[in-house]
Amino acid sequence: MGLAFDAIVQLLAMVFGVEAVSLAALTGQMILSIAYFLSLWFGFVDTFEITPPAAFRTPPANTDAPAS
């Protein structure tokens, strides 16, 4: 994805000039970097399950012996 973005930026820079494209290129590259590092975080959380497991919704079965 980054290579395609860089190729588009190079083409636009040749047509419109480097000064006109530089801010848009920097903004786009920062957005791609943020998306990449955000995906690393969600992959880490899904792999190692750092949140505590949910509590039981129903109480466990009664383990006392039946009354005779």
Side-chain angles (χ1 to χ4, degrees):
M1 186 69 172
L3 287 175
F5 179 76
D6 289 339
I8 291 170
V9 168
Q10 289 291 326
L11 289 173
L12 291 174
M14 287 185 343
V15 173
F16 296 113
V18 175
E19 294 84 14
V21 181
S22 62
L23 182 61
L26 178 65
T27 304
Q29 201 63 17
M30 289 185 70
I31 289 171
L32 286 174
S33 297
I34 290 169
Y36 172 73
F37 287 113
L38 193 61
S39 72
L40 287 178
W41 170 251
F42 285 113
F44 175 81
V45 169
D46 289 343
T47 301
F48 295 106
E49 191 177 341
I50 59 174
T51 57
F56 290 113
R57 293 184 180 200
T58 56
N62 191 0
T63 57
D64 295 336
S68 39

